[in-house]
Amino acid sequence: MTEDTTGRWRGWRAAAEDALYGPEGFYRGPEGPAGHFRTSVHASALFAGAVARLLCRVDEALDRPAALGFVDLAAGRGELVTGVLAALPAEVAARVRAYGVEIADPPVGLDPRVEWLAEPPKGVTGLLFANEWLDNVPVEVAEVDAAGVPRLVLVREDGTERLGEPLSGAEAAWLTRWWPQAPEEGLRAEIGLPRDTAWASAVATVDRGLAIAVDYAHTRDTRPPFGTLTGFREGRETAPVPDGSCDITAHVALDACAEAGVGAMAANTAGALPGARLLTQRAALRALGVTGARPPLTLASTDPAAYVRALAGAGEAAELTATGGLGDFGWLVRPVGIPDPLQEP
């Protein structure tokens, strides 16, 4: 961080933007996100395999186009897009145009089939997949004061906070619509408006196909009373300090994003096909064949090596779908001009 920001009071959105994405920001570090926290992508290759199967379903719904797009939004160091390409059938992989979207430079040794971009490409026919992206889109934080008025929370680079002006305009309207609060001192909320806008912009880059966001999430009837803003450093949760030394994240109001994404595509797909829907990662992965079921014991005697492999896979699948863990993540599914490929026929 530059020296002149150290003592400056500003909203969490501006402070986190610099801390995460500025010239010396957290996400520009050489170790990448995997050096500080473990996502579903890092937990098991089963996740990339499931996304590859989803891409194949999108391919079928699109009648197997000559160029099938796969956009890995918030690609980290390219782990997901690399895994998806490796898991695809050869015939599908030959038609895929793969993109990794990330502010950091491309990783050394990136698959040459992957085009590395700072922004999502436009006019995609295929699948846009954003895994743990929206939780790192910086937002303002509001806190109710002693008079019951929600005010903007201001922060300095060392993490010290104070209350600023009362919320107004679009931010106040968003809070009323999506995170209504009692007039009780100390209640907090994250104002998800920038995430709604970011998701709508991402969906708008898909001409036909599917857009999916996967993230820590809550909905209007389950908002946490004191918000979820936190930090992560080297695998441990820590206080959110906007100095570039840690990740700064907050759970996502995916229901608000869903409505914004539908609105973004209304002109192109009005009344045509299903709109957005929310489901858990557990349900989504089970629909894609990741169940966590243990292999039959009979396999241990007929093919011990296969049994050990299947048992390891079952353990990884269980982690990806676990209640109270990764399985509780929200999947925001937005078909664009095709039926929902995760919907049961």
Side-chain angles (χ1 to χ4, degrees):
M1 298 301 97
T2 55
E3 187 175 343
D4 64 347
T5 66
T6 303
R8 191 196 334 170
W9 293 102
R10 50 188 178 160
W12 266 106
R13 184 183 179 189
E17 186 74 34
D18 278 352
L20 296 178
Y21 306 116
E24 300 174 24
F26 176 82
Y27 277 102
R28 296 191 184 275
E31 71 279 5
H36 296 272
F37 51 86
R38 192 164 180 257
T39 72
S40 297
V41 179
H42 308 120
S44 173
L46 293 174
F47 189 80
V51 176
R53 288 191 292 278
L54 178 59
L55 181 57
C56 289
R57 292 188 186 184
V58 172
D59 185 42
E60 291 177 7
L62 292 168
D63 295 323
R64 298 177 176 84
L68 175 66
F70 176 64
V71 181
D72 180 7
L73 182 52
R77 295 302 178 265
E79 298 94 339
L80 178 60
V81 66
T82 300
V84 167
L85 287 172
L88 287 171
E91 185 278 328
V92 178
R95 292 185 285 109
V96 167
R97 296 190 63 181
Y99 305 90
V101 180
E102 185 59 75
I103 64 159
D105 293 335
V108 176
L110 181 67
D111 189 313
R113 293 174 292 177
V114 179
E115 185 175 352
W116 200 258
L117 304 172
E119 299 287 341
K122 299 185 185 302
V124 171
T125 298
L127 171 62
L128 178 145
F129 199 90
N131 186 57
E132 297 196 39
W133 167 54
L134 287 171
D135 68 297
N136 288 127
V137 173
V139 292
E140 299 291 8
V141 177
E143 182 175 320
V144 178
D145 67 12
V149 177
R151 292 179 176 269
L152 189 69
V153 176
L154 304 180
V155 64
R156 294 195 305 195
E157 190 178 301
D158 64 1
T160 304
E161 292 182 338
R162 75 176 188 192
L163 296 187
E165 294 298 315
L167 284 187
S168 61
E171 291 172 343
W174 190 96
L175 188 69
T176 299
R177 169 72 177 86
W178 290 110
W179 200 323
Q181 294 178 300
E184 181 180 331
E185 185 177 7
L187 295 183
R188 286 169 68 110
E190 292 97 31
I191 310 300
L193 193 59
R195 293 169 174 178
D196 298 351
T197 302
W199 177 243
S201 296
V203 171
T205 67
V206 180
D207 278 357
R208 288 187 69 226
L210 185 69
I212 289 186
V214 180
D215 237 310
Y216 300 95
H218 45 60
T219 54
R220 193 176 186 275
D221 57 350
T222 62
R223 305 285 190 231
F226 301 104
T228 61
L229 187 74
T230 191
F232 283 93
R233 182 188 298 113
E234 297 178 354
R236 296 180 180 274
E237 189 168 6
T238 185
V241 178
D243 62 359
S245 68
C246 67
D247 185 28
I248 297 172
T249 179
H251 293 201
V252 182
L254 278 181
D255 48 351
C257 293
E259 184 172 292
V262 169
M265 296 305 299
N268 294 339
T269 61
L273 286 158
R277 70 184 181 110
L278 299 174
L279 64 162
T280 65
Q281 174 156 297
R282 184 179 312 107
L285 290 184
R286 286 176 178 170
L288 293 167
V290 179
T291 65
R294 293 173 64 91
L297 282 174
T298 53
L299 185 62
S301 56
T302 59
D303 191 341
Y307 177 78
V308 170
R309 289 194 300 272
L311 193 62
E316 293 176 3
E319 180 181 1
L320 290 173
T321 59
T323 300
L326 294 174
D328 292 343
F329 271 45
W331 280 43
L332 169 51
V333 179
R334 178 59 172 112
V336 182
I338 65 170
D340 183 345
L342 283 171
Q343 189 77 54
E344 293 291 335

